[in-house]
């Protein structure tokens, strides 16, 4: 494992300071401000008594979890126009919110959300790389907080969660394999991976992309391994916060 | 002046606890979390080197200030669908963001923002009545913080502000004339006013509406007076925060 | 009261020639062409046997009144692009149609429109300032005509109207306080008020804006007073037309 | 030629009362209210100093004529939702406005509108069948009025018109071949033709449709002949109005 | 009849090589690739167990046929942007798909499609003039194939077809009256007709347009006659393919 | 390696019959019909002399490659509504077209497309699983054909390609690890991977998703290996076709 220092002083495999601030959006059923260094995302989970149209039409039992992701206009250094100003959700946001939804559904037994939709909202307050992995990691905490409250209130009989879920980015930056890329590293990286795993060490999603570049089988194996260790640390932090 | 107590224990003319937390969105040029009781609005001001198309086409000199207002989906007790999910900005948001923009422009000399647009973003994190008046009051603080930073950085030569600006709601709730209505009061009020005034005590905007009701000249006069005193307190709080 | 003459020869408090031409759109339930000088607005009221979705969902009894406002492309000196060509309603139109709807609902007992929506359409045929106040004043006449026809036809058992409603603009133009501003005056005015009142002299709505300017308590009081007298004249004219 | 009477008392080939009321929309360059019986259409022509993007890009010389067609919500017995409320122009309106534009361009030398676009707006105030043919016939009068004013004002050096243009509907209603169908006839007609011709007797456009029906060569020939005579009468009326 | 040769060697009345390739889109109920020379259109007919909303609301019995038309981006020499990229269907496509739908409905007894919608999709793979007439001619073959399969599968009890339908373009190109125009001829033509007829020789639709030009009664008569003979040849080819 | 047979008779690692039919869309610069069993995708590459706005604004040199992906309405057993009918591109299509674009750019030196955009269109004619991997594999062939023609025509001086690119799906279906999933297998698979690799054996993109399921490190390693061998076979087939 390389001991070369990164521009912000971190070792290659080292995560940024990580925190989850619960109760950030008090009107949501559960919420958290997830911070990975300067990346800060408001994650909120809200229960709605209603399932999507396709479930009703096809007579699918149980409930649903869906996610929406957005960058607040002031989350980036240059102001980012709102989706509504452009008239449509950009492709990147669509991809991210679909990923968040799939990640949550992988650790939930939808049968145990009978007739409900759990909405996961992730709004980026400050962006410095890794907003999607912070969103997934925070979405789990917000949803778990929501579920606990719904069980306490007698709305849900038992927890629909089968495991926890967390995510991290890994990549190759100037030939160095690193974890938890910040904006500068992400922008310059030749290879960029997002790894979503359960607390039990199973993969949920692996997305790796060469940005106008490619990568070998050996690099792929090392990046997957680095990601596994990084996710384990985030899982531990989630558990601490949830107590 | 009535001394009848309101449901939350306030006197009719009494404001809710008021605070402005600066630097809430660090990537904005200036930002603040404006709190009027449980109403909490993220206000951010961002400078862009560019003026709107109509100014370039008509050769208008100086700069521009424009505002965007949105309620985050988890700001309300029942989740509020995003504008982009509905495909359009709702009429209420359009009215509010136009009001915020006009209010700011009333205390700014646009000539002193040559070639720039100052974007004001107001995103409601938690809604409990009075989000538009909290937005205006917070927008002034965020903008003033932005201007100070731009002057410190040498981007602006002098401050474009000619005065401060703040806003409050007043209304009639079960025959009682009250200030700074919370959500419950606002919903039940027969008459609802939003009053925007400068630090110097001039009116910028008066918007009073009977909600399927009407009001007399005498009531109007008393509400305007109550609003004037309430704005003065908010102005004082803005000055404290800005130091 | 000032006796200074305005550019078009009117005294400061003097209204433009005012007329309401009934039956202008024969397929509407009630209609009128409302003329305030060169401002001409087609106002039509049409009954639909159906209430909005939110009333059905929330089980609200009674009926509803809603308004739509549009400027015909040839109503202005430079052709105004249609809303559909721009793909969305502009913010100003949204504000105006919401104001028209609220104004009408303030003088109507919605319980007496059981299961019905009364659509108010206001299309500006020629614009010379004050299109929103002409719209409100004409909308009342069109609606009253519609109601009379619906009562004659046995569709409505009794009139839902509790009073009449009319509106006027007042403002400050080169330091002169004036009523019923034409386009030129409106464009140059530093302060612009729209006042909506009932026939009984109660306020329904007061909207006053400093256009990149502010106004004092004294100015506000005088403008409100001028507006009250102006509305009374419009109310008288409505009564004459309705017979 | 049949002498069987129609429901409204007309002979098969007989037109409804026809009138053109000039100056209906004073802010347009030229305007007219075109009435074919109870079908009444506001036709307005407005000059804009600018050509469409494709002409600038392709370096096409001369000018352009384009048309927009809309039915006002209260023009029909059941209120018709606005295009903007549905978010898009309906297919029928698209077809009609393209037809109006082509009809006008067939009698205009676009080279003689150098750098200009002539906008033709047709808004149906009252619909009783034949709104598209009334629109075309009225559009010609409005445009001719606009051109005369532009020549008087020295904006145009010479008239771009090479001929006049007018249109009429003909069709088969319960086996009877008739001209200028009203709404009831149009709705029940098995075959429906719109015929656009010049004052000089040349065809500009022939659009004939069997509505879930078909027609023979002989019927086609007789309908074309009936249309020719009907257009000649409309042309004569246009000439009278234009003096 | 003129014997002057056209640029591609055809006589004035001569059609391009014509073919229908069945089964081109195997997942459709019926499909064909319709080729008129280099114009190639994928025509597919798909049955859906459901009628449009307006039929359900108005209680109209039977079924419906509707068409959608689109040009694939690579069907033209310069790439044509997709409708979704522009956010709306262009006016020309709207006109064409309405024409295809009407043409099919003219030869179908909708009562014999009880509760069903037959969707006709026409996607242009290669465009060289006459895409709308190729679409109609191919749509008939695809629909007939679909109907035969649905009857074989016992979904439909009897054929809803009352006749066949086919279409051709005719026009005037440099004073020569010609049939089945290719792209070059279509572009330069002063007059352009689309003629839709049944196998039995009845007209369904006649659409003739002077492109910034006009045409006489004599020209109209000759073009209609040329179209009639051309449609008869296409009808024969359809019959061969359908066996 | 398992020798268990799949429902369609294939061995677990066995690909479906694979073909590329060049010249399928003659008006494109290069085109191919890519078939993986019953999955058939029209892939077309078209050169445009123009780069995206962001490249011009930021002064980025070279050219660009972008992709659009769509399923034709009759490509699925139940007709799929067009994007334009729903008013927006669905999230899945957005993801796929972004993936196609990135895959192509990974093997192209954009500097060698100076001032050009190469548009890749992928339209699914028949869908039976693996449409995105067929699209990528076909897009490479279509683009290579386009480049050869552009070099032959002297438009491009040298080939921008640095390698070939191809893609395949692998996944876990009822505990069996399989390659090139058809629709039935894809729908039932618990884990679904898309693997994009160069001819030289480097990875371009790895996207693996547990569909409401998870997977272990060992499964991941075996799936990656199976994918590598499968891509090598597709690469060989591409080379044969390109000669």
């Amino acid at each position: 494992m390389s001991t070369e220092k990164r521009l912000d002083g971190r070792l290659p495999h080292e995560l940024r300071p990580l925190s989850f601030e619960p109760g950030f959006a008090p009107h949501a059923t559960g919420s958290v401000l997830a911070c990975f260094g300067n990346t800060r995302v408001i994650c909120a989970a809200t229960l709605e008594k209603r399932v999507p149209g396709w479930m009703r039409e096809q007579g699918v039992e149980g409930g649903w979890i869906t996610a929406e992701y957005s960058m607040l206009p002031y989350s980036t250094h240059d102001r980012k126009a709102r989706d509504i100003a452009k008239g449509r959700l950009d492709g990147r946001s669509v991809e991210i919110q679909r990923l968040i939804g799939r990640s949550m559904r992988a650790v939930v037994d939808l049968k145990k959300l009978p007739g409900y939709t759990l909405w996961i909202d992730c709004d980026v307050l400050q962006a410095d790389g890794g907003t999607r992995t912070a969103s997934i990691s925070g979405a789990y905490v917000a949803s778990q907080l929501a579920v606990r409250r719904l069980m306490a209130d007698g709305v849900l009989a038992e927890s629909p969660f089968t495991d926890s879920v967390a995510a991290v980015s890994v990549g190759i930056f100037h030939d160095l394999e690193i974890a938890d890329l910040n904006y500068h590293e992400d922008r310059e990286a030749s290879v960029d991976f997002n790894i979503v795993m359960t607390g039990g060490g199973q993969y949920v999603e692996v997305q790796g992309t060469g940005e106008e570049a490619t990568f070998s089988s050996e690099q792929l194996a090392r990046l997957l391994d680095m990601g596994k260790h990084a996710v384990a640390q985030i899982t531990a932090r989630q558990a601490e916060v949830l107590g």
Side-chain angles (χ1 to χ4, degrees), chain A:
Chain A
M1 203 180 285
S2 169
T3 56
E4 189 179 333
K5 284 280 179 64
R6 290 149 76 176
L7 282 178
D8 61 2
R10 284 189 283 159
L11 288 168
H13 66 281
E14 195 179 343
L15 301 182
R16 292 176 287 182
L18 184 62
S19 70
F20 298 102
E21 184 182 326
F24 194 77
H27 284 176
T29 317
S31 69
V32 81
L33 182 72
C35 305
F36 281 53
N38 287 329
T39 287
R40 299 195 299 152
V41 184
I42 307 170
C43 301
T46 313
L47 197 76
E48 187 188 24
K49 178 113 196 76
R50 180 187 156 104
V51 292
W54 63 266
M55 287 183 73
R56 290 194 302 270
E57 280 165 27
Q58 301 177 21
V60 178
E61 279 179 46
W64 190 244
I65 297 185
T66 192
E68 298 199 346
Y69 167 95
S70 181
M71 297 183 78
L72 288 163
Y74 35 80
S75 62
T76 46
H77 282 283
D78 292 327
R79 184 177 181 278
K80 188 175 184 301
R82 290 172 193 267
D83 296 321
I84 193 68
K86 294 173 296 180
R88 58 188 191 80
L89 211 51
D90 64 53
R92 179 184 165 274
S93 294
V94 171
E95 276 190 28
I96 294 176
Q97 64 191 27
R98 283 164 55 89
L99 172 61
I100 300 169
R102 285 196 307 268
S103 298
M104 297 304 298
R105 291 193 297 271
V107 293
V108 162
D109 178 354
L110 293 171
K111 291 280 187 310
K112 296 186 181 161
L113 286 171
Y116 293 104
T117 295
L118 189 66
W119 288 86
I120 311 290
D121 286 290
C122 297
D123 288 279
V124 180
L125 182 55
Q126 194 178 354
D128 187 30
T131 63
R132 85 184 69 189
T133 49
S135 293
I136 293 167
S137 303
Y140 170 70
V141 178
S143 302
Q144 184 62 270
L145 290 170
V147 160
R148 291 181 182 185
R149 177 161 156 194
L150 293 165
M151 288 172 68
D153 292 354
V155 177
L156 293 183
E158 53 181 329
S159 172
F161 279 106
T162 57
D163 203 340
S164 70
V165 66
V168 80
S169 67
V170 292
I172 304 179
F173 172 79
H174 295 181
D175 294 326
L176 189 64
E177 290 152 16
I178 58 177
D180 190 21
L181 288 68
N182 64 24
Y183 178 70
H184 172 72
E185 292 167 339
D186 188 55
R187 202 176 156 164
E188 301 277 308
S190 59
V191 176
D192 181 24
F193 262 75
N194 291 294
I195 292 171
V196 186
M197 296 183 78
T198 65
Q202 291 283 103
Y203 287 95
V204 171
E205 187 112 8
V206 171
Q207 291 189 340
T209 304
E211 301 288 340
E212 295 168 27
T214 60
F215 50 99
S216 68
S217 297
E218 295 71 29
Q219 288 173 315
L220 170 55
R222 284 196 303 268
L223 288 170
L224 289 171
D225 190 62
M226 183 181 277
K228 188 179 225 169
H229 287 90
V231 168
Q233 293 174 61
I234 301 168
T235 297
R237 194 80 194 86
Q238 289 174 325
E240 269 176 51
V241 169
L242 291 167

